[in-house]
Amino acid sequence: MSARLARRRASAFSSAGEAACQALVEATVEALERDVEADQRSAMREAVEAVFTEIEPADMSFSDLRFFVSKLRQAVLDAASDAARASVEQWCFEFFGVCTTRFVVEREHDLEHQSAQRDIARAEFQLAELKIALADKTALLERIREVSTPIAPVAPGVLLVPLVGTFDRFRAELLTERLLAEISRAKTRSVILDIAGVPMFDTDGAELVIRLTRCARLLGAQVILVGISPQNARAIVSLNVDLGQLTTCANLQEGLARAQRR
């Protein structure tokens, strides 16, 4: 019987090999004989365990299980006495039922495991996509940050910072962070802050410029404010903000000349 099991094509038994099939058949027949002789079912549990130990549950189909029990039943009945045939039939019927229950449990466990693995793979893929998206977003934000707060060296020890658009608190914080790092790195003596492209200055903008000037001064650099339009000049005066600490020039050329003299 074990040889016939091992020759069953595309089955868990052929994958397991004849030696495993032989061990399974012997364990099951021994359990059947013990239970029939003692009129109990204690050895049946061992036989069921042997089925799912000798044969890989993931490879076993229900057809394989039914084939095994059918051939086992036939082989045992052929060798059993007439008095024992009814007990053998009953044992095989119950054995098949317990094996079927175990088969269903094992299959559900495999399906749950496969589903969990798919969920993990999907989560890992989504995480990788998020990491890529985060890296792209970070790079884009860094690019926006650099574009929104340009800093250009125009002469040894002199940096030019042209501002275009609204100069709000967010841009001021970005500018302060980058500018102070650049002042320290390049040993800058003068910073020319060109606000010709800023349409309107408000109180926050003026105070942020003053704060930037103080921070730069602590690092040994002077901030020169250029490009003040008549509209911004009137707006700054109307804000009653003390700009006495600022060095101002009419245009970029004058500011550059003053920075180089320093």
Side-chain angles (χ1 to χ4, degrees), residues 23-237:
L24 175 60
V25 170
E26 291 176 355
T28 308
V29 171
E30 180 184 356
L32 186 152
E33 291 175 345
R34 285 161 51 195
D35 279 352
V36 169
E37 182 178 350
D39 191 22
Q40 59 183 12
R41 297 293 183 264
S42 59
M44 183 182 292
R45 290 191 296 272
E46 299 175 10
V48 172
E49 189 63 31
V51 172
F52 292 91
T53 301
E54 298 293 340
I55 308 299
E56 180 60 42
D59 296 336
M60 186 185 300
S61 67
F62 186 72
S63 177
D64 290 337
L65 184 61
R66 185 173 55 190
F67 179 82
F68 169 69
V69 177
S70 174
K71 298 307 176 184
L72 176 73
R73 168 183 169 277
Q74 188 60 51
V76 175
L77 284 177
D78 289 344
S81 63
D82 292 340
R85 291 178 67 87
S87 297
V88 170
E89 285 275 18
Q90 183 63 29
W91 192 94
C92 289
F93 176 78
E94 294 178 12
F95 176 69
F96 181 64
V98 176
C99 284
T100 299
T101 302
R102 176 69 178 270
F103 175 83
V104 172
V105 171
E106 292 286 346
R107 186 53 50 91
E108 288 181 350
H109 174 75
D110 289 342
L111 291 175
E112 289 176 357
H113 179 71
Q114 293 171 11
S115 177
Q117 291 298 316
R118 287 194 296 269
D119 290 342
I120 291 173
R122 183 162 50 249
E124 289 176 346
F125 175 78
Q126 292 174 347
L127 180 60
E129 289 291 308
L130 288 174
K131 287 182 178 179
I132 294 173
L134 179 60
D136 292 343
K137 185 176 181 180
T138 301
L140 178 60
L141 289 175
E142 183 62 26
R143 180 60 181 165
I144 293 173
R145 171 181 172 178
E146 292 176 357
V147 172
S148 63
T149 56
I151 300 174
V154 292
V158 180
L159 295 178
L160 172 63
V161 183
L163 295 180
V164 178
T166 304
F167 188 62
D168 56 13
R169 186 171 299 275
F170 175 72
R171 288 189 66 191
E173 290 176 355
L174 290 180
L175 175 60
T176 301
E177 179 184 347
R178 292 193 63 223
L179 182 58
L180 295 182
E182 190 64 20
I183 289 173
S184 178
R185 186 193 68 80
K187 298 179 174 57
T188 302
R189 298 190 308 273
S190 298
V191 177
I192 302 174
L193 189 62
D194 187 357
I195 64 170
V198 178
M200 184 60 66
F201 244 49
D202 58 10
T203 305
D204 285 344
E207 290 178 348
L208 291 170
V209 168
I210 294 173
R211 186 180 305 167
L212 176 60
T213 301
R214 291 172 179 169
C215 292
R217 185 179 299 161
L218 290 175
L219 296 179
Q222 177 192 35
V223 174
I224 302 173
L225 190 65
V226 303
I228 301 178
S229 66
Q231 295 85 353
N232 277 336
R234 287 194 298 270
I236 292 174
V237 170

